[in-house]
Amino acid sequence: MPELNFDAGASQRIDVWLWAVRAFKTRSLAQKQIKSGHVRIDGDRAKPADKVRIGQVVVIRRPGAERVLTVQGFLDTRGPASMAAACYIDTSPPPNPLLRAPVPKREKGAGRPTKKDRRAWDRLRGRTSR
């Protein structure tokens, strides 16, 4: 069972912390996102070996939304989600509902959509066509 650490002087690599608190599925995926510039610590661009400390704010950019996590503790290894949730406070803004437009549905057997149908769907989604 992983051990929780809430010591104020403790620190941990950002890639290990993101993996341990289940922000990313694998540590290598966390490293890839950090190197791509999608992770910031207290507003500064992070590197995989940067240390994160209790009280720091970690921002993870994702398509359509961003996660804002305040570090509260550390795990030595990846564990259950309940333990991971104890290691951060999530202060993320709600996602933009316009980016999650519903997918148009067609009746079964109605055939392939026509050009007129596709243009109507584009107007519904807020895209303009000519």
Side-chain angles (χ1 to χ4, degrees):
M1 193 76 161
E3 192 172 315
L4 284 168
N5 182 1
F6 296 107
D7 182 23
S11 65
Q12 191 173 32
R13 284 177 58 119
I14 184 68
D15 60 341
V16 174
W17 186 79
L18 289 171
W19 166 74
V21 299
R22 297 174 167 263
F24 294 102
K25 198 170 197 174
T26 64
R27 186 172 165 197
S28 62
L29 181 60
Q31 289 175 345
K32 182 180 176 185
Q33 293 298 309
I34 293 167
K35 287 178 184 175
S36 297
H38 297 290
V39 177
R40 295 187 172 270
I41 302 172
D42 288 336
D44 298 327
R45 189 172 169 173
K47 295 179 183 174
D50 284 348
K51 299 286 186 176
V52 66
R53 290 173 183 73
I54 291 178
Q56 288 187 313
V57 177
V58 177
V59 178
I60 306 166
R61 267 192 4 228
R62 295 224 166 130
E66 67 178 25
R67 287 186 73 186
V68 181
L69 307 175
T70 304
V71 179
Q72 294 296 307
F74 306 106
L75 289 170
D76 53 352
T77 61
R78 188 176 172 107
S82 58
M83 289 182 81
C87 292
Y88 62 85
I89 297 173
D90 192 351
T91 56
S92 304
N96 186 349
L98 297 177
L99 296 177
R100 300 283 181 189
V103 177
K105 302 284 184 188
R106 291 183 57 80
E107 294 79 31
K108 191 168 183 130
R112 189 172 167 172
T114 63
K115 194 170 195 174
K116 182 178 179 182
D117 293 334
R118 289 193 305 271
R119 286 181 177 159
W121 290 338
D122 285 343
R123 280 193 300 277
L124 178 69
R125 290 180 179 153
R127 300 179 194 150
T128 58
S129 59
R130 286 200 258 178

